[in-house]
Amino acid sequence: MNFTAKDVAALREKTGCGMMDCKKALTESNGDMDKAVDFLREKGLAAAVKKAGRIAAEGVAFATTSECGKVAVVIEVNAETDFVAKNAEFQTFVKICADTIIHQNPADVEALLQCKAEGSEQTVDALLKEKILTIGENIKIRRFDRFEGAVTSYVHGGGRIGVIVKFDTTDEIAATEGFKTYAHNVAMQIAALNPEFLDEAAVPAERKEKEKEILTQQIVDEGKPANIAEKIVAGRLSKFFKEICLVDQQYVQDSKMTVQQYTDSVAQELGGSIKITAYTRFEKGEGLEKREDNFAEEIASLVK
């Protein structure tokens, strides 16, 4: 071997390519740095890295459930433009990623990239780089979540929002059409109202205290007497929880009941118990810097 670990690190710094790709390039070029860069470029890896610097805030939030119905996955994969997000090749790649997560249960995105992609001999990372080259845009697997048990999945707005929900119930109840309809309705509620927490117990103590402080100050500013301030704060805190906690929210399809009351009514109807235990909601591009295209500049650069 005519190179050291430092050489591998230097090549990685220079090209942005993965450690194993850099090691292979140096092996193939007998330690010659310039030849190693050429090797990576010939393989298209350096080109993929160049694209990786561009903002990817479009894409898709995709959710799906396994064939057995006992594993649900939600994943966000970003691209630079909405046009690419609608591309069949891009959508197939997203589904392959979701299937890989279902069957191999990787710990995080880094672990997913090293997995062998379902139905392929390539790793997810190699497949990703291939898609960047063939599609011609930066593509990033941003995040995913996975639940096992009594689960459901829901995609809203053609991939704008992806939701998965986990429930605590029996296999017998989970297999009924009544439960499936209920679970789907809960997932739609999460997509539409975007609750911050499952229930009041899940709200951090500091968040409760902060809200209490704000509400108390509001009441003082309104000139309400101190002896009734505490009761008013309690009432307004209750209203606050009804807005941010899923089980306390007004059920969108029947305003006469909360999500918890809807859950209890379905459980009674099906002759058992149902509890919502967890959910994940991804919205495409949430919190990401959006790419701002300047059409005039783009035309000017093409003319040059």
Side-chain angles (χ1 to χ4, degrees):
M1 188 170 76
N2 302 323
F3 59 91
T4 64
K6 276 189 178 178
D7 294 326
V8 176
L11 183 59
R12 189 184 187 201
E13 185 67 31
K14 196 171 185 178
T15 63
C17 291
M19 207 63 100
M20 294 309 292
D21 290 323
C22 290
K23 188 178 177 185
K24 187 178 180 186
L26 284 165
T27 303
E28 293 291 328
S29 59
N30 290 317
D32 187 305
M33 190 65 75
D34 292 334
K35 285 181 181 174
V37 171
D38 289 341
F39 175 86
L40 289 168
R41 286 184 63 196
E42 283 162 16
K43 292 288 178 189
L45 297 171
V49 167
K50 190 178 177 185
K51 289 186 177 73
R54 304 206 299 243
I55 297 167
E58 291 296 337
V60 70
F62 177 69
T64 189
T65 309
S66 63
E67 280 183 30
C68 68
K70 292 191 175 181
V71 183
V73 163
V74 61
I75 183 170
E76 181 183 357
V77 182
N78 301 119
E80 292 176 58
T81 64
D82 190 44
F83 178 75
V84 161
K86 291 170 181 169
N87 173 302
E89 196 175 342
F90 175 82
Q91 290 179 351
T92 299
F93 171 70
V94 173
K95 285 172 184 166
I96 288 169
C97 289
D99 284 343
T100 305
I101 296 161
I102 283 171
H103 294 106
Q104 298 181 43
N105 193 15
D108 51 29
V109 173
E110 281 304 309
L112 170 63
L113 290 169
Q114 301 314 311
C115 289
K116 187 187 277 190
E118 283 295 307
S120 168
E121 287 304 307
Q122 293 178 286
T123 63
V124 171
D125 188 42
L127 206 56
L128 172 64
K129 284 173 178 164
E130 190 181 275
K131 297 303 167 200
I132 291 171
L133 286 167
T134 56
I135 293 172
E137 277 195 13
N138 184 21
I139 298 166
K140 280 187 178 176
I141 301 168
R142 184 185 182 196
R143 53 185 176 166
F144 68 83
D145 205 357
R146 180 184 186 276
F147 294 151
E148 287 185 20
V151 293
T152 194
S153 61
Y154 173 68
V155 177
H156 180 75
R160 189 171 68 83
I161 295 166
V163 174
I164 56 171
V165 196
K166 183 177 178 181
F167 306 86
D168 183 9
T169 191
T170 62
D171 287 346
E172 288 76 23
I173 285 178
T176 65
E177 286 307 312
F179 173 80
K180 288 172 188 173
T181 300
Y182 153 80
H184 180 72
N185 289 340
V186 170
M188 286 201 296
Q189 170 96 16
I190 293 163
L193 269 69
N194 192 14
E196 289 184 59
F197 303 99
L198 175 62
D199 53 25
E200 193 180 321
V203 182
E206 60 269 24
R207 179 74 184 274
K208 290 178 186 175
E209 280 307 307
K210 186 70 183 167
E211 194 60 29
K212 205 171 177 180
E213 277 174 34
I214 293 166
L215 292 171
T216 304
Q217 189 58 50
Q218 282 175 358
I219 290 155
V220 169
D221 292 345
E222 287 166 13
K224 298 281 194 304
N227 62 332
I228 63 161
E230 202 172 314
K231 280 186 179 177
I232 297 170
V233 168
R236 289 188 187 176
L237 259 181
S238 175
K239 189 183 175 191
F240 170 69
F241 291 133
K242 282 178 182 176
E243 288 169 3
I244 66 165
C245 298
L246 172 63
V247 297
D248 297 322
Q249 282 183 341
Q250 190 178 71
Y251 176 45
V252 289
Q253 294 188 45
D254 184 350
S255 58
K256 293 186 185 75
M257 61 171 86
T258 63
V259 172
Q260 185 59 60
Q261 287 166 337
Y262 171 52
T263 301
D264 294 341
S265 70
V266 172
Q268 190 177 357
E269 201 178 294
L270 297 175
S273 69
I274 302 169
K275 186 182 178 187
I276 305 165
T277 57
Y279 70 89
T280 299
R281 178 190 187 275
F282 287 164
E283 190 161 342
K284 174 191 75 175
E286 202 170 26
L288 289 175
E289 178 193 352
K290 300 284 181 184
R291 167 173 144 162
E292 290 181 16
D293 290 320
N294 186 316
F295 189 64
E297 281 180 16
E298 195 175 319
I299 295 298
S301 68
L302 289 172
V303 170
K304 282 175 193 172

